[in-house]
Amino acid sequence: MPDNCIAVATDFSARADRAIDRALQISKSQDHKLCVLHALDVIDADKADWSELDRKMRATVGSGETAGEIEFVYPEGSAPKAICRVSEERDAAMLLVGPARYNSLGDYFLGTAVDYVLRNTTRPVLVVKNRVRGAYENIVAGTDFSEASAYAIVKAARMFPNAKLHIVHAWHVPFEGWNKDAYVADEMVEGETGKMNAFLEKLTAEEPRLSEATTQLVRGNPIQAIRDGLGRDPNALVVLGSHGSSGWRQAAIGSVTSDLLRFVEADMLVVNTKRAEG
């Protein structure tokens, strides 16, 4: 039965603790029920000590408070598949996961489980890497001016209504090795500025509070744009769409995701945008 909960996955490892803490914070601030998921394979489920599992779950959640109830869910099967299935069945407003592993600050890798979840769920997925220091005050959203990125930005704005939006766009001069004249770059900036203004106008028509969003054009690649945008607030939430027409598609679901998780020291919300593509 759908209950629109905040879902968070844990494997009882330390790397999942930050996702748990963030899920507690979000569920409390947004008055959502919290569903804590721990997947079990068929053999483990068959011989499970349910009382012990509940004890470990309570220890994992700790003394955190939510506005509603907390439910422990033990889906059977492959962890990523089970997590996706339960999130869909519960119509989760959001699914939180931790990075697969990390060895040092800034050294993040996207594991196969997280990668599978990003590719196979329709739920917004929040990959949590940082300690919780309060609600997100700022959001940095990457855009390629596509319908997909517009959908992701509007969705994020509505999911976190108290956060300020900063929209960044990466641009480059075509055939830059040959086009060294300054006027070419100036023309590019003028053109990209016009696109950004039109894009923001479109966003505002759909979500009026986005009229207060700030924007930034960054000469370079999507990763540079995100990192420059985070210069305002390193604790900001990064938002990307799972589909798009250019580099942001790769940044969301392709190989560049590994680079973002490795080099961008921020939590990342990946919004599934297939609906925006009809």
Side-chain angles (χ1 to χ4, degrees):
M1 192 73 172
D3 53 26
N4 207 229
C5 64
I6 298 295
V8 58
T10 181
D11 59 1
F12 299 133
S13 67
R15 62 178 173 262
D17 289 348
R18 295 181 183 184
I20 294 286
D21 291 343
R22 178 58 70 181
L24 287 165
Q25 181 269 313
I26 292 174
S27 64
K28 182 176 181 180
S29 65
Q30 299 186 5
D31 196 21
H32 278 287
K33 173 182 176 179
L34 179 63
C35 295
V36 186
L37 314 178
H38 175 71
L40 299 169
D41 62 34
V42 176
I43 296 176
D44 287 341
D46 186 56
K47 60 181 182 181
D49 181 337
W50 302 107
S51 296
E52 176 61 14
L53 280 172
D54 283 346
R55 185 197 67 76
K56 291 180 69 174
M57 282 289 219
R58 284 191 294 270
T60 297
V61 172
S63 59
E65 297 180 359
T66 67
E69 64 177 297
I70 300 178
E71 180 185 8
F72 300 150
V73 185
Y74 305 106
E76 293 184 29
S78 162
K81 291 182 180 180
I83 290 167
C84 287
R85 184 180 70 249
V86 173
S87 297
E88 298 293 335
E89 290 173 351
R90 299 301 179 90
D91 190 22
M94 188 187 317
L95 170 62
L96 286 78
V97 295
R101 63 184 183 276
Y102 57 88
N103 299 320
S104 62
L105 185 63
D107 184 21
Y108 290 92
F109 298 85
L110 188 67
T112 55
V114 177
D115 183 65
Y116 180 93
V117 169
L118 289 174
R119 292 172 182 271
N120 290 279
T121 183
T122 65
R123 305 295 99 187
V125 179
L126 177 53
V127 181
V128 182
K129 295 180 290 182
N130 293 329
R131 290 187 176 89
V132 178
R133 304 187 187 282
Y136 295 119
E137 296 181 355
N138 295 287
I139 291 173
V140 175
T143 183
D144 54 8
F145 305 138
S146 66
E147 292 290 335
S149 67
Y151 179 89
I153 291 169
V154 170
K155 181 77 171 178
R158 291 172 177 170
M159 291 174 69
F160 297 96
N162 297 319
K164 298 177 181 178
L165 270 289
H166 183 60
I167 303 170
V168 299
H169 171 69
W171 66 277
H172 68 279
V173 176
F175 307 108
E176 194 162 3
W178 292 277
N179 289 326
K180 296 183 180 297
D181 293 330
Y183 79 88
V184 176
D186 291 341
E187 289 180 352
M188 286 292 299
V189 170
E190 183 178 356
E192 297 301 309
T193 298
K195 292 178 184 178
M196 179 67 87
N197 291 338
F199 184 72
L200 187 57
E201 184 177 345
K202 178 181 178 180
L203 291 178
T204 300
E206 190 166 352
E207 178 55 51
R209 88 175 187 90
L210 287 173
S211 63
E212 301 176 357
T214 54
T215 62
Q216 184 178 2
L217 299 174
V218 177
R219 185 172 181 173
N221 59 46
I223 295 176
Q224 290 172 307
I226 292 294
R227 296 190 72 179
D228 283 8
L230 286 168
R232 293 168 167 241
D233 178 8
N235 296 313
L237 172 66
V238 173
V239 172
L240 295 172
S242 64
H243 294 71
S245 61
S246 67
W248 295 112
R249 175 188 170 93
Q250 287 297 322
I253 62 173
S255 61
V256 179
T257 306
S258 297
D259 292 333
L260 282 167
L261 291 173
R262 181 178 299 167
F263 297 119
V264 178
E265 298 166 10
D267 295 353
M268 183 185 302
L269 177 70
V270 181
V271 178
N272 186 291
T273 56
K274 288 184 179 179
R275 185 176 300 178
E277 301 173 346

